[in-house]
Amino acid sequence: MATALNYDPSSSTSFLEEVMSRSGQPLTACYQCRRCAAGCAVGDETSPVTPDRLIRLLMLGEKEAALSNDLVWKCVSCYTCGTRCPNNIQTGRITETLKKISKETKKAPHLPKVGYFHDSFVKAGLRWGRVNEMEFMGMYELKHLRDKFMEKDFDGIKQEIMDQTKFAHSMLKRKRMHFDFLIAGGRNEIKRLYKKFKKDQS
Amino acid sequence: MEIAYYPGCSLKQSSNLYDIQTRDVFNRLGIIIKEIDDWSCCGATSAGKIDDFLAIAMPARNIGIAERQGFTEMVIPCSACYSRTLVAQTKLAGDPDLKKRINDGLFRKVKGDLKVSSILEVLARIPKQTFKQKMTKKFKQMNAVCYYGCMLTRFPVDVDIPDDVENPQTMEQILKLIGVHALDWNYKTACCGASAAMNDPDTALMLMHKIIDDALERGAECFVVTCPMCQMNLDVHQDKVCEKYGIKKRLPVYFLTELIGLALGMDIQDLQIDRHFIQMADA
């Protein structure tokens, strides 16, 4: 991170406002008490960026740093920060919003696996109306193995396939894998609703 | 009075044992539940990271179904499904435009008067007498720790829940009724990492390690949970966690319904406790 900030009021305010309105959180109420940082499940791992510092980055309009830090991607939405914040700022919702904004910038996300996981899950839920675990895991694995393939990380691919096969085998052995195909007739209601919503937005 | 039942995707697949246990145990305790018609995925914690509208529309559909089928209450055993459905209901109540927009696309429209309950709320209403009458077995000393996880007590919007957010007590109270002593401990509502177990394993293993560590320090002999994701993480991945952090002891991870089922005289195979990764013998 640069030691001197290039602060441009107009562009920083517009980014801050975008995040505030999309996340629905009153970031400007933050007085840096750090109760959020103290309770953050992943705070130790994502240091120096903890929820309080993420809010500070947003207030200063540091879009790059705000989108590509470990916290935004490692945040598990445990909502401990928002539950304890004296000003009711739900930073878990802010990291969710930043994940979405990052996807819209079309640049590679900071931790791609996380993005692929949630994307595959929701697509699987929409496609058949209920999530079929093997289908969704399959989609997720293909996406992230494709990344490894592009990086020519063949050892990594081999390791991942071995790990997942071992995992699948252990689930099968314990009879925790089920092969029924889950489907909901009403999936089209949700698909149509979503399509109409996106059309209205554009 | 029949209560609507929403199992969710997880209870029909990797956590199918929880679905079977819930139905059986509720039946024996005299609670009549009926799976709602053509339910669809609630979006879990992933939908909120993809699209906010979808994150409300997906669970809202199930509220509409339950209401139109004539139910006044819906019980949702999975903590994530419960959380998302409660949040959707709250959001719709506070935003009439959003409610209309979503209802316009739903065949069975949401009114908003359904009571969305966690499995703990429903079990907590059962009188002590009922347990006393139906119990055929007593537990020996089994120091349990109750693990609630994130989604039963913390929400991204203000909702009213019938338990303390930082130090919930409902699971301990129910366990007391079946003669299981629950220890006090520090990580009741700590995060297990949930989906990070798949997409960010180092973080998830670290989080699970903290939970297991505290439980062991307190002298716990097992975990009791109600969330299928937490059960899966602490059970399926416990060997990985313990190998990485050099922990020798293993703690079985029981669903609350399993302990109640055992107390009611059901056997291990029927409850599918033999499908856990960590068995009592390994502990």
Side-chain angles (χ1 to χ4, degrees):
Chain A
M1 253 160 72
T3 49
L5 284 169
N6 277 329
Y7 180 66
D8 170 27
S10 57
S11 67
S12 351
T13 315
S14 70
F15 180 56
L16 174 63
E17 279 171 0
E18 185 192 351
V19 175
M20 280 178 73
S21 104
R22 286 178 73 165
S23 66
Q25 303 306 315
L27 271 81
T28 49
C30 174
Y31 47 58
Q32 299 283 306
C33 73
R34 311 197 208 284
R35 284 186 81 185
C36 55
C40 179
V42 299
D44 282 336
E45 305 249 299
T46 64
S47 229
V49 182
T50 42
D52 57 317
R53 298 231 179 101
L54 179 65
I55 294 183
R56 199 81 189 119
L57 282 173
L58 291 164
M59 302 264 272
L60 295 170
E62 293 280 314
K63 185 167 178 177
E64 249 324 293
L67 293 178
S68 55
N69 60 76
D70 279 350
L71 179 63
V72 168
W73 296 93
K74 283 185 181 275
C75 170
V76 281
S77 292
C78 74
Y79 301 133
T80 304
C81 50
T83 302
R84 295 184 181 170
C85 176
N87 294 312
N88 239 357
I89 302 169
Q90 190 48 272
T91 309
R93 287 286 297 136
I94 297 172
T95 56
E96 286 169 13
T97 303
L98 292 173
K99 282 183 173 93
K100 298 199 238 332
I101 293 178
S102 168
K103 193 171 180 199
E104 289 157 14
T105 65
K106 305 272 191 220
K107 277 199 280 200
H110 185 68
L111 290 180
K113 269 175 88 167
V114 175
Y116 295 152
F117 184 93
H118 297 297
D119 206 46
S120 306
F121 185 94
V122 177
K123 284 206 167 80
L126 284 175
R127 182 173 296 129
W128 303 111
R130 296 180 189 180
V131 172
N132 286 287
E133 284 174 352
M134 281 184 278
E135 179 207 2
F136 129 71
M137 284 301 286
M139 276 203 297
Y140 159 67
E141 289 295 329
L142 282 176
K143 283 189 200 203
H144 115 255
L145 286 177
R146 183 196 60 197
D147 273 3
K148 285 199 194 287
F149 184 76
M150 302 298 250
E151 293 163 13
K152 303 225 193 314
D153 179 13
F154 297 115
D155 278 336
I157 295 179
K158 199 172 109 189
Q159 186 63 48
E160 181 71 16
I161 293 178
M162 273 172 49
D163 285 344
Q164 289 304 323
T165 309
K166 200 164 141 207
F167 177 62
H169 175 77
S170 65
M171 290 290 276
L172 204 57
K173 203 172 82 175
R174 295 283 184 177
K175 301 198 192 134
R176 296 287 282 268
M177 270 227 242
H178 294 264
F179 296 94
D180 311 345
F181 185 67
L182 302 181
I183 192 165
R187 63 193 179 281
N188 293 313
E189 287 174 47
I190 301 291
K191 284 194 226 185
R192 278 195 295 260
L193 249 181
Y194 189 38
K195 205 166 164 187
K196 181 167 190 298
F197 171 75
K198 284 206 286 195
K199 202 169 119 212
D200 290 344
Q201 294 290 95
S202 58
Chain B
M1 193 195 64
E2 270 186 1
I3 304 180
Y5 176 61
Y6 176 85
C9 312
S10 183
L11 262 70
K12 290 297 185 185
Q13 290 179 88
S14 51
S15 298
N16 189 230
L17 69 174
Y18 194 24
D19 178 42
I20 290 172
Q21 293 157 13
T22 302
R23 289 168 192 276
D24 230 317
V25 166
F26 272 30
N27 186 28
R28 282 165 196 255
L29 291 170
I31 308 171
I32 307 166
I33 53 171
K34 188 156 182 291
E35 188 168 323
I36 58 169
D37 179 52
D38 197 45
W39 54 267
S40 46
C41 177
C42 71
T45 50
S46 296
K49 299 173 171 77
I50 300 295
D51 186 281
D52 284 336
F53 178 77
L54 212 48
I56 304 297
M58 287 171 85
R61 177 169 176 269
N62 302 303
I63 300 175
I65 294 172
E67 286 176 351
R68 296 293 156 160
Q69 284 194 275
F71 294 103
T72 51
E73 184 179 5
M74 179 155 74
V75 64
I76 308 180
C78 169
S79 300
C81 303
Y82 160 72
S83 174
R84 293 313 306 170
T85 309
L86 197 54
V87 167
Q89 186 181 57
T90 307
K91 282 244 146 157
L92 292 177
D95 189 343
D97 280 334
L98 179 65
K99 186 174 177 181
K100 179 171 187 309
R101 192 188 266 238
I102 290 180
N103 268 343
D104 277 347
L106 292 181
F107 179 55
R108 285 176 275 205
K109 303 182 194 298
V110 177
K111 266 185 293 174
D113 47 16
L114 183 74
K115 175 164 171 25
V116 177
S117 299
S118 70
I119 194 172
L120 282 176
E121 281 180 73
V122 176
L123 288 170
R125 291 202 296 251
I126 300 172
K128 188 170 176 175
Q129 272 310 101
T130 312
F131 277 111
K132 266 194 133 119
Q133 280 167 3
K134 312 233 176 193
M135 269 170 65
T136 60
K137 294 222 175 78
K138 267 193 123 166
F139 285 99
K140 277 196 324 230
Q141 170 121 20
M142 188 178 75
N143 295 323
V145 285
C146 293
Y147 179 59
Y148 293 76
C150 305
M151 313 220 73
L152 281 177
T153 51
R154 293 190 297 275
F155 305 83
V157 294
D158 274 329
V159 296
D160 254 322
I161 56 151
D163 206 346
D164 191 82
V165 170
E166 294 278 5
N167 189 6
Q169 299 291 332
T170 314
M171 222 190 294
E172 281 88 343
Q173 284 160 0
I174 296 170
L175 282 179
K176 197 159 169 204
L177 296 177
I178 60 167
V180 175
H181 175 64
L183 302 168
D184 195 18
W185 68 311
N186 249 352
Y187 282 74
K188 274 198 208 190
T189 61
C191 183
C192 71
S195 53
M198 292 286 124
N199 62 50
D200 188 4
D202 286 334
T203 301
L205 291 177
M206 178 274 293
L207 291 170
M208 289 187 252
H209 159 240
K210 285 188 182 174
I211 295 166
I212 295 171
D213 217 23
D214 192 68
L216 286 169
E217 273 202 41
R218 306 280 177 153
E221 291 166 316
C222 67
F223 287 104
V224 187
V225 301
T226 58
C227 171
M229 187 85 242
C230 300
Q231 200 279 339
M232 168 143 354
N233 276 4
L234 289 175
D235 181 41
V236 169
H237 300 291
Q238 197 174 130
D239 276 336
K240 260 187 247 151
V241 177
C242 293
E243 274 160 32
K244 181 169 181 180
Y245 290 92
I247 301 173
K248 293 208 182 66
K249 199 160 155 60
R250 298 287 185 273
L251 298 170
V253 186
Y254 298 115
F255 276 116
L256 181 60
T257 39
E258 288 170 353
L259 296 184
I260 298 177
L262 288 171
L264 297 177
M266 292 174 70
D267 69 43
I268 292 180
Q269 279 78 18
D270 285 342
L271 290 164
Q272 296 191 4
I273 301 178
D274 54 342
R275 299 198 185 193
H276 286 200
F277 274 58
I278 307 289
Q279 294 294 325
M280 277 183 280
D282 306 334

